[in-house]
Amino acid sequence: MKNFLQQQGGMALVFTGAILLLVSFLTGWTRYNSVLLLSLLLIIIGIVVHVRQIKRQGKY
C-alpha cells in the first residue's frame, strides 16, 4: 500500500482537488474562497508531486 501511495500520490491529490471542486459546485459552496483555494492548492501540489515522481523514475 505504501508503494502504491508513493507512485500515485500526486494523482490522488489532483483527483481529490477535482472532486472537492465538483462537490463545492454541486452544494453551492462556490462563494467560499477557502474551499476553492484548498482545491486549487491540492491540484497544484498534486501536479508538482506527480511530475517529480515521473522525473525520478526516468520516464520524463
Side-chain angles (χ1 to χ4, degrees):
M1 183 70 175
K2 185 177 179 183
N3 191 21
F4 177 76
L5 286 177
Q6 287 177 344
Q7 291 176 351
Q8 303 299 328
M11 290 305 294
L13 287 173
V14 171
F15 289 140
T16 303
I19 290 172
L20 185 59
L21 276 174
L22 180 66
V23 168
S24 69
F25 175 74
L26 293 175
T27 58
W29 294 345
T30 54
R31 63 181 177 265
Y32 301 111
N33 287 335
S34 59
V35 176
L36 298 175
L37 183 63
L38 177 64
S39 61
L40 177 67
L41 287 176
L42 284 173
I43 292 171
I44 290 173
I45 291 170
I47 290 170
V48 169
V49 168
H50 184 69
V51 168
R52 292 183 111 200
Q53 287 172 346
I54 290 174
K55 281 187 174 184
R56 186 179 301 157
Q57 292 173 357
K59 296 180 183 176
Y60 194 131

